[in-house]
Amino acid sequence: MLSDIEIAQAATLAPIAAVAGKLGLSADDLHAHGHYMAKLTQATVNRLHAQPARAKLILVTAINPTPAGEGKTTTTIGLTDALNQAGYAALACLREPSLGPVFGMKGGATGGGYAQVVPMENINLHFTGDFHAITAANNLLAALIDNHIYHGNALAFDQVSWRRCMDMNDRALRRLTLENHTHTGFDITVASEVMAIFCLATDLADLTRRLGRIQIAVSTHGQPIYASDLQAEGAMTALLKEAFQPNLVQTLGGSPALLHGGPFANIAHGCNSLVATQTAMRLADYVVTEAGFGADLGAEKFLDIKCRQSGLRPDVAVIVATVRALKYHGGVEVADLNAENLSALASGVANLEKHITNLQSHFGLPVVVALNHFTADTAAEVALVQAAVEALGVRLHVCRHWAEGGAGALALAHTVAMQAQQAAAVKLLYADDLPLVDKLTTIAQAMYGASQVTLSALAQTQLSQMGEASRGLAVCVAKTQYSLSCDAKLRNVPKQHVLHVRELRLSRGAGFVVAICGDIMTMPGLPKQPASARIGVDADGRITGLS
Amino acid sequence: MLSDIEIAQAATLAPIAAVAGKLGLSADDLHAHGHYMAKLTQATVNRLHAQPARAKLILVTAINPTPAGEGKTTTTIGLTDALNQAGYAALACLREPSLGPVFGMKGGATGGGYAQVVPMENINLHFTGDFHAITAANNLLAALIDNHIYHGNALAFDQVSWRRCMDMNDRALRRLTLENHTHTGFDITVASEVMAIFCLATDLADLTRRLGRIQIAVSTHGQPIYASDLQAEGAMTALLKEAFQPNLVQTLGGSPALLHGGPFANIAHGCNSLVATQTAMRLADYVVTEAGFGADLGAEKFLDIKCRQSGLRPDVAVIVATVRALKYHGGVEVADLNAENLSALASGVANLEKHITNLQSHFGLPVVVALNHFTADTAAEVALVQAAVEALGVRLHVCRHWAEGGAGALALAHTVAMQAQQAAAVKLLYADDLPLVDKLTTIAQAMYGASQVTLSALAQTQLSQMGEASRGLAVCVAKTQYSLSCDAKLRNVPKQHVLHVRELRLSRGAGFVVAICGDIMTMPGLPKQPASARIGVDADGRITGLS
C-alpha cells in the first residue's frame, strides 16, 4: 500500500492558474508561490468581498477523536471532490497545518489516501509562510514589551500577560524565567491570540484595530495596557499583510481549496480564517469547511465565536464517525478494534448521538452523518450505527473517499447538497450579554453534559481582575479533545463530570476569553519517538517519511 | 526628498522572468514568489554547478562603520548597475536582511536611494521565508534535545550547548531558565550555526552532513553528542530544502541580484550563501558580493572561512569609505560632521589605510577605494583622501550611486573591471594546522593591530574541553564592528589594545570556532524608540515607514 506522501508525489498536479480558472479567477488574481500554490491578491479579495455571498456553507465536524482515527479532513476533501464530480461547484476551506505536530505524533494535516490537498510536503512544512509571520508578529510585541521595561518602563508595566510563541512542540518552553527575572513562557503559535485575530479579522483595517486592542499587561496603577500603547499594531500588521491573503491549492481530485489560518481547536478556536471563508462564499455554490476535533470543541466555537462575530451561518453539518472509533468509545482497546463487537458499538454510538443532538437542539443545525469506512467494518456493525442515527431522523452515508477519492463520497454529496438547500433556523448557544461564568456553564452543561463548572483560585482572581473587560466577550474553551469532559480518559458520554477551569486568559483583540480546563497545555510536547527521525530528503531532493 | 521606501514603491519593476532572461534563464528555472521574486529551482542550481565558473569575483568591503553611514550595500548595488550599464555582464550577490534590525535602529538592508534591491518591503520583512526555515530547523533540534532528556535521557546528555534562536532583537531572551531547570538562551537567527551551515554547504547532501555533525552537548561520560545522535539532520534538511535555493530579485537599475543567507558579520561569518555565489559565478562575467561591516570582520571571514572552505578566491576588493565616517574616526562628533575638518580627516584616514594594507599585505588582494559622496563633502576633503589612498598605490573613485544609480559609479566600474582581469595571487591569513589560539593571535595582531589575545577563565575551560575537536577549524571572531579592537569606543586605529575572548563556541558543522570577544552580544536589543512605532500599512494596503 502506498503511503500518503507517495500517493501525493505520484499525482500530476494542475498549474495553480488552471485551478483558479475553475473559480472564475485569472493569473492576475494570484500571487504565485511556485507552480502549485498561490495567494489571492488583496485586490482580488477586496473585489470579491464587495459582492454578496452566494454559497451554501457546509460544516464538517466529528465525534470525539480516538487513537483509531476518524478522518474529518479526508471527509472534507472527499466531500468537496464528490460535490464537484456531481456537478455542484464546490470549494474546500481548511486550516493550514502547524509545523509542531508534523515532527510529533500526529504528522501532517493535509488529509490522506486519495483525499488529500497537495503539494502535501510544502503545505505541511512552511507552506506560504503564514504561521511564521504570525509567530514574528506575536514575538515582536513581546520584544517591544520587555524592551519598554528595559528602557525605564514609562508605562509602569506590572503584570505582563503577553507570552511568546513558536510553531514547534517544545514543552521545555512552557514556563521560563527571563534575564529580567520575569516569569513567562511560550505557547505554540496556533494557540496565540495573534492567530485568533488573524482568523477573525474582517479586513486589514480590522486586523490592525484588533491587534491594537490586545491587552498585554496591567500597570502598577491597575490600569490595562494595550498593544496600541506601544504603537505595535502597525508593524504587526506590516508583518501579517502578505500572510493575510488566502492560499489557493488543489485536492488530488482537482478541486480548488483555500487553506488559511489554523488555530488548534483544543487550545484555540479551531477554524480557518474568516477572510478565506468569506472569499470562498463568493467563489463557489458550496463551501465545505471543517472545525477542529470533535463537535464539542470545533463546531461549538465555529458557531459561538466565528459565526457570532461574522454573521455567517452554516446550512448543514456533517458529523464524521467510524465504526472503529465508536467501538473505542464503547470500551474496546486499540489492539482489538478489527474484531466485530456489536455490544461495544451499541454503547459507543452514544458519543455520536450526543454530538448529533447537540447540533440539532442547541444550534438548530441540520445534520448528516458520514461513516468513514474501514476494511474491517462488518455489515452488522454498519447497520447498527445506521439504525441508531436514523432513529434520530438523520441520514447516514458510508464513505470510501480515502480509497476512492470523490467517487467514494457521492451519496453523501447528494444528500448534503439537498439538505443545504433547505432553510435552517440556526441559532447560537448563549446570549452575548450573559456573564462569563454563565456562558461557561451553558457550554459545559449543554454541550459536554457536565454537572457544573469549578474555577481554580487563579481563575477566580483572573475573573475578578478582568472585571468589565470580559463583558460581551465569547468563551473559548481549551480542553482535551478526547473526551466530552476535561479528562482525556473519560470516553463516550461521561456523566456527572465537572469542568474545572484552571486559568482564564483575556483575548481582547480576538473578542473572547480562553478558559483553560483540566490539564490541557497550550504548548504540546514531542513523543518519545518523534516522527522527525523518519523524515529526510533523498538523493533526488524529494522529501521522504512525512505522513 | 523621497524616502527609500517611496523611491522603491514608485519604481516600475520588470517581471522576474525578464530579470532571469538577462542571465540566460527561463521561467522554468524559477520557483516564483509573486511577480518580482523567485527562487532558482534546485535542478537549475545543480545544472549550473556542473559547469565551470566563469565570473570574476569582486568583494565589496568597508572601513569600520560609524554612525555617519558608509553605504557598503548601496555601493555593491550601484557598482553592479554601473558594470551592467558599461556593458559588463554583472550580477550582485548579497545577504538577505534579518527581521530583527528592521524594527530596531538599523532598519532594512536593501540599500538606499537609487541603489536598492526591490521589492524592498518584501525583502526586508519575510522575503521568501528562508530565515524562518533556518529558525525552525534550529529550534526543532533544541526541542528534540529537551524532549530526549524529558523521556529518560538515554544518551546521557549533560552539558547542552545548543541554543534556540529567533529572528528578532529580543534581549530578554539572552539568558533564561527553562521548565526543566536548564540554563540556556536565544541567539538571533543570523548568529546561529544553522545559518552558518546553510551559507557554507556546497549542496543538499553536504547540508545534511554538516547538520548531522553539529555538536549539541557533552554526555555525562564526557563524550560529544551530535545532532545525528538524535537523527535530527534529515528533518532539519527537509525544513531547509526550499530555502536552500537562491533567491533572484532586481535592483532599481534593472540588474539581477541573488540574495541568499545572511549571517551578521559581527557575531557570525558575514557572507551570503556559498550556493548563491557559486551559482552566480556561472551566470555572469562579474559577480559583485559584499561581506558585512568593516574589512576586519567581513572580509577576513569571507577569505579565511568562505574562501578557505570552498576554494573561491576574489579577484579584487572594493573598500567603501566616506569623508564623514573618516572624520568621525578622526574624532569629530556626529553633530559636527557637515563642517569641513581637514585635520580630523587627516587623522581618521588611517582607518582606511589600515584596511587597505591589511587586504594588500595579508591577503595579496588588489584594492580599489569607493568614496561614497555626501553633499557636504568639500573638494579639499576629497583631495586629501584621494592623495592618501594613491600614496598606497591604490585607485580611488568618488561615487554618487545613491543619488544617481549606476550612472554615479561608472568610473569605479571601469577600474574594478580592469583590475579584476589582472592575475592576483590571493592567499589566506593563517594555515589550517595552526593551533586555535595561534590563529586568533594572528588575526588579532595582523588585522586588528592588537598587542595580544587574552582568554577568560570560561574560554580557557571551553578550549581545553574542545581538545582535538577544534583541530583544523577556522576561527570566527565575534566582536564589535565599530572598532578594529573589541571595544566599540576605540575609533580609527587603536594601539596597544588587547583582544579579550569571553567565550568560545564550537560550530563543528560550520567548520569553525566562534570566539566571542569584548562585550558583543549574540542577541541584540531594541533601542528606546524602536523603528516599529513608525511602521504601518496604509488604507491602500501599502507598507509605510520602513527604512
Side-chain angles (χ1 to χ4, degrees):
Chain A
M1 209 174 65
L2 293 175
S3 68
D4 290 347
I5 191 171
E6 288 166 341
I7 293 170
Q9 288 178 343
T12 303
L13 308 195
I16 196 64
V19 178
K22 296 184 182 182
L23 300 170
L25 299 176
S26 76
D28 287 344
D29 293 307
L30 305 180
H31 180 102
H33 280 251
H35 299 303
Y36 308 114
M37 308 185 292
K39 284 189 164 286
L40 304 190
T41 70
Q42 191 63 52
T44 298
V45 172
N46 294 349
R47 189 186 75 223
L48 290 167
H49 282 215
Q51 301 169 11
R54 74 172 206 253
K56 296 295 178 182
L57 182 56
I58 301 158
L59 173 67
V60 180
T61 181
I63 60 170
N64 287 96
T66 73
E70 291 68 43
K72 191 168 70 266
T73 302
T74 59
T75 302
T76 306
I77 295 166
L79 173 57
T80 306
D81 284 340
L83 284 164
N84 279 316
Q85 281 185 33
Y88 304 99
L91 173 54
C93 212
L94 294 167
R95 287 172 297 161
E96 307 176 50
S98 163
L99 254 183
V102 167
F103 303 113
M105 198 104 72
K106 180 166 174 284
T110 48
Y114 291 88
Q116 296 189 50
V117 282
V118 282
M120 79 86 99
E121 314 92 297
N122 298 79
I123 297 172
N124 276 316
L125 295 174
H126 310 290
F127 198 22
T128 57
D130 294 346
F131 288 14
H132 293 314
I134 290 166
T135 303
N138 182 99
N139 292 342
L140 171 61
L141 181 54
L144 290 173
I145 292 168
D146 281 308
N147 186 61
H148 182 86
I149 296 170
Y150 175 85
H151 285 294
N153 199 11
L155 289 171
F157 277 93
D158 185 25
Q159 306 158 47
V160 174
S161 47
W162 192 246
R163 292 162 61 86
R164 287 168 179 80
C165 72
M166 189 185 281
D167 191 17
M168 196 61 73
N169 287 10
D170 190 349
R171 76 167 66 69
L173 294 178
R174 280 174 191 159
R175 279 185 283 276
L176 45 85
T177 309
L178 300 182
E179 184 165 34
N180 63 12
H181 307 296
T182 309
H183 297 288
T184 183
F186 281 68
D187 296 322
I188 190 163
T189 299
V190 291
S192 68
E193 185 178 355
V194 178
M195 175 64 85
I197 289 172
F198 183 91
C199 287
L200 290 167
T202 53
D203 55 25
L204 273 175
D206 187 41
L207 180 68
T208 306
R209 212 161 28 232
R210 285 170 177 265
L211 292 169
R213 214 188 281 160
I214 293 171
Q215 183 175 330
I216 51 183
V218 175
S219 77
T220 49
H221 316 296
Q223 294 303 306
I225 304 178
Y226 304 114
S228 57
D229 291 323
L230 293 176
Q231 297 168 274
E233 70 273 27
M236 292 172 78
T237 305
L239 281 169
L240 293 170
K241 177 177 115 61
E242 303 272 330
F244 198 59
Q245 302 162 8
N247 306 291
L248 177 67
V249 295
Q250 63 194 288
T251 69
L252 285 178
S255 298
L258 293 182
L259 272 63
H260 200 220
F264 283 171
N266 51 355
I267 49 180
H269 79 277
C271 322
N272 64 260
S273 81
L274 176 63
V275 165
T277 307
Q278 292 287 26
T279 304
M281 297 295 285
R282 287 145 177 93
L283 285 170
D285 295 330
Y286 294 86
V287 170
V288 186
T289 191
E290 70 167 358
F293 295 125
D296 52 329
L297 284 168
E300 190 274 323
K301 296 173 192 173
F302 178 85
L303 286 151
D304 279 323
I305 295 176
K306 181 172 176 171
C307 290
R308 183 186 299 269
Q309 291 195 14
S310 64
L312 278 174
R313 294 293 182 269
D315 294 285
V316 56
V318 175
I319 302 184
V320 181
T322 61
V323 164
R324 295 163 59 83
L326 294 174
K327 284 193 286 190
Y328 183 85
H329 277 298
V332 178
E333 291 314 305
V334 173
D336 303 323
L337 286 173
N338 284 339
E340 185 179 86
N341 189 331
L342 292 171
S343 68
L345 185 60
S347 159
V349 81
N351 187 267
L352 172 58
E353 290 165 338
K354 171 67 175 157
H355 289 295
I356 292 172
T357 53
N358 273 353
L359 294 186
Q360 287 180 324
S361 61
H362 303 312
F363 295 101
L365 192 55
V367 171
V368 178
V369 170
L371 192 69
N372 195 9
H373 184 74
F374 278 70
T375 47
D377 298 353
T378 69
E381 288 176 325
V382 171
L384 187 156
V385 179
Q386 182 127 22
V389 168
E390 287 177 355
L392 297 170
V394 167
R395 297 282 298 274
L396 175 148
H397 289 284
V398 177
C399 298
R400 293 181 165 82
H401 45 268
W402 188 90
E404 301 172 12
L410 281 171
L412 177 71
H414 283 295
T415 298
V416 166
M418 257 187 313
Q419 181 60 60
Q421 293 299 334
Q422 312 299 313
V426 175
K427 58 195 178 186
L428 304 178
L429 186 60
Y430 51 80
D432 287 347
D433 57 1
L434 216 58
L436 191 74
V437 172
D438 293 359
K439 288 175 183 166
L440 257 170
T441 305
T442 302
I443 297 170
Q445 293 181 340
M447 294 295 291
Y448 310 157
S451 55
Q452 59 167 316
V453 172
T454 57
L455 270 67
S456 71
L458 174 66
Q460 287 179 31
T461 307
Q462 290 166 327
L463 182 66
S464 74
Q465 281 173 342
M466 252 177 250
E468 285 301 293
S470 73
R471 181 191 287 271
L473 299 187
V475 175
C476 179
V477 175
K479 74 166 186 73
T480 177
Q481 64 268 33
Y482 296 115
S483 174
L484 279 159
S485 75
C486 63
D487 178 349
K489 295 187 300 298
L490 303 182
R491 306 182 198 175
N492 208 351
V493 184
K495 305 287 179 203
Q496 290 300 315
H497 61 94
V498 170
L499 185 73
H500 182 66
V501 180
R502 204 174 80 225
E503 189 183 338
L504 291 171
R505 293 185 188 169
L506 176 64
S507 291
R508 195 167 164 272
F512 56 64
V513 173
V514 182
I516 302 177
C517 302
D519 57 6
I520 191 81
M521 291 289 175
T522 50
M523 170 58 95
L526 290 168
K528 187 160 184 175
Q529 308 290 344
S532 56
R534 298 189 299 272
I535 297 173
V537 177
D538 70 14
D540 297 328
R542 295 236 270 196
I543 290 178
T544 56
L546 203 63
S547 60
Chain B
M1 209 173 68
L2 292 175
S3 69
D4 291 347
I5 191 171
E6 288 166 341
I7 292 171
Q9 289 179 341
T12 303
L13 308 194
I16 196 65
V19 177
K22 296 183 182 182
L23 300 170
L25 299 175
S26 76
D28 288 343
D29 294 306
L30 305 180
H31 179 102
H33 280 251
H35 300 302
Y36 308 115
M37 309 186 291
K39 284 189 162 286
L40 304 190
T41 71
Q42 191 62 52
T44 299
V45 171
N46 294 348
R47 190 186 76 224
L48 290 167
H49 282 216
Q51 300 169 10
R54 74 170 206 256
K56 297 296 179 182
L57 183 56
I58 301 158
L59 174 66
V60 179
T61 181
I63 61 170
N64 288 97
T66 72
E70 290 68 45
K72 192 168 70 267
T73 303
T74 59
T75 302
T76 306
I77 295 166
L79 173 57
T80 306
D81 283 340
L83 284 164
N84 280 316
Q85 281 186 31
Y88 305 100
L91 173 54
C93 211
L94 295 167
R95 288 172 297 159
E96 307 176 50
S98 164
L99 255 184
V102 167
F103 303 113
M105 199 106 69
K106 182 167 172 283
T110 47
Y114 291 87
Q116 297 189 51
V117 283
V118 282
M120 79 86 100
E121 313 92 296
N122 298 78
I123 298 172
N124 276 316
L125 294 176
H126 310 290
F127 199 22
T128 57
D130 295 347
F131 287 14
H132 294 315
I134 290 166
T135 303
N138 182 99
N139 292 343
L140 172 61
L141 181 54
L144 290 172
I145 292 168
D146 282 307
N147 186 61
H148 182 87
I149 296 169
Y150 175 85
H151 285 293
N153 198 10
L155 290 171
F157 277 91
D158 185 24
Q159 305 157 48
V160 174
S161 48
W162 191 248
R163 292 162 61 84
R164 288 169 178 80
C165 73
M166 190 185 279
D167 191 17
M168 196 60 72
N169 287 11
D170 190 350
R171 76 167 66 70
L173 294 178
R174 281 175 189 158
R175 278 184 286 274
L176 44 85
T177 310
L178 299 182
E179 182 163 39
N180 62 12
H181 307 295
T182 309
H183 296 288
T184 183
F186 280 68
D187 295 323
I188 190 163
T189 299
V190 291
S192 69
E193 184 176 356
V194 178
M195 175 64 85
I197 289 172
F198 182 92
C199 287
L200 289 166
T202 53
D203 54 27
L204 272 175
D206 187 41
L207 179 69
T208 305
R209 213 161 27 233
R210 286 171 176 264
L211 291 169
R213 213 188 281 160
I214 293 171
Q215 184 176 329
I216 51 182
V218 175
S219 77
T220 50
H221 317 297
Q223 296 302 306
I225 305 178
Y226 305 112
S228 57
D229 292 323
L230 293 176
Q231 298 168 272
E233 69 274 28
M236 291 172 78
T237 305
L239 281 169
L240 294 170
K241 177 177 115 61
E242 303 273 330
F244 198 58
Q245 301 161 9
N247 306 293
L248 177 67
V249 294
Q250 63 195 289
T251 68
L252 284 179
S255 298
L258 293 181
L259 271 63
H260 200 220
F264 283 170
N266 51 355
I267 48 180
H269 79 278
C271 322
N272 65 261
S273 81
L274 177 63
V275 166
T277 306
Q278 291 287 26
T279 304
M281 297 295 286
R282 287 146 177 92
L283 286 170
D285 295 329
Y286 294 86
V287 170
V288 187
T289 192
E290 70 167 357
F293 294 124
D296 52 328
L297 284 168
E300 190 274 323
K301 296 172 191 175
F302 178 84
L303 287 150
D304 280 323
I305 295 176
K306 181 172 177 171
C307 290
R308 183 186 299 267
Q309 291 195 14
S310 64
L312 277 175
R313 293 294 182 271
D315 295 285
V316 56
V318 174
I319 302 185
V320 180
T322 61
V323 164
R324 294 163 58 83
L326 293 175
K327 283 192 285 191
Y328 182 85
H329 278 298
V332 178
E333 292 314 305
V334 173
D336 304 323
L337 285 174
N338 284 338
E340 184 179 86
N341 188 332
L342 293 170
S343 69
L345 185 60
S347 159
V349 81
N351 186 268
L352 173 58
E353 291 165 338
K354 171 66 175 158
H355 289 296
I356 293 172
T357 53
N358 273 353
L359 294 186
Q360 286 180 325
S361 60
H362 302 312
F363 295 101
L365 192 55
V367 172
V368 178
V369 170
L371 192 69
N372 195 9
H373 184 74
F374 278 70
T375 47
D377 298 353
T378 69
E381 287 176 326
V382 171
L384 188 156
V385 180
Q386 182 127 22
V389 168
E390 287 179 354
L392 297 169
V394 167
R395 297 281 298 273
L396 175 148
H397 290 285
V398 177
C399 298
R400 294 180 165 82
H401 45 270
W402 189 90
E404 302 172 11
L410 282 170
L412 177 71
H414 284 294
T415 298
V416 165
M418 260 190 310
Q419 182 59 60
Q421 293 298 335
Q422 313 298 313
V426 175
K427 59 195 178 187
L428 304 178
L429 185 61
Y430 52 80
D432 287 347
D433 58 0
L434 215 58
L436 191 74
V437 171
D438 294 359
K439 287 175 183 164
L440 257 171
T441 305
T442 303
I443 296 169
Q445 293 181 340
M447 294 296 292
Y448 310 157
S451 55
Q452 59 168 317
V453 172
T454 57
L455 271 68
S456 71
L458 173 66
Q460 287 178 31
T461 307
Q462 289 166 327
L463 183 67
S464 75
Q465 282 173 343
M466 253 178 247
E468 285 301 293
S470 74
R471 182 190 286 272
L473 300 187
V475 175
C476 180
V477 175
K479 74 166 186 70
T480 177
Q481 65 269 31
Y482 296 116
S483 173
L484 279 160
S485 75
C486 62
D487 178 351
K489 295 186 299 300
L490 303 182
R491 306 181 197 177
N492 208 351
V493 184
K495 304 288 178 202
Q496 290 301 314
H497 61 95
V498 170
L499 185 73
H500 181 65
V501 180
R502 202 173 80 224
E503 189 183 338
L504 291 171
R505 293 185 188 170
L506 177 62
S507 291
R508 194 166 165 271
F512 56 64
V513 174
V514 181
I516 301 177
C517 302
D519 56 6
I520 191 84
M521 291 289 174
T522 51
M523 170 58 94
L526 290 168
K528 188 161 184 177
Q529 307 291 345
S532 57
R534 297 190 299 272
I535 297 173
V537 177
D538 69 15
D540 297 328
R542 295 234 272 195
I543 290 177
T544 55
L546 205 63
S547 59

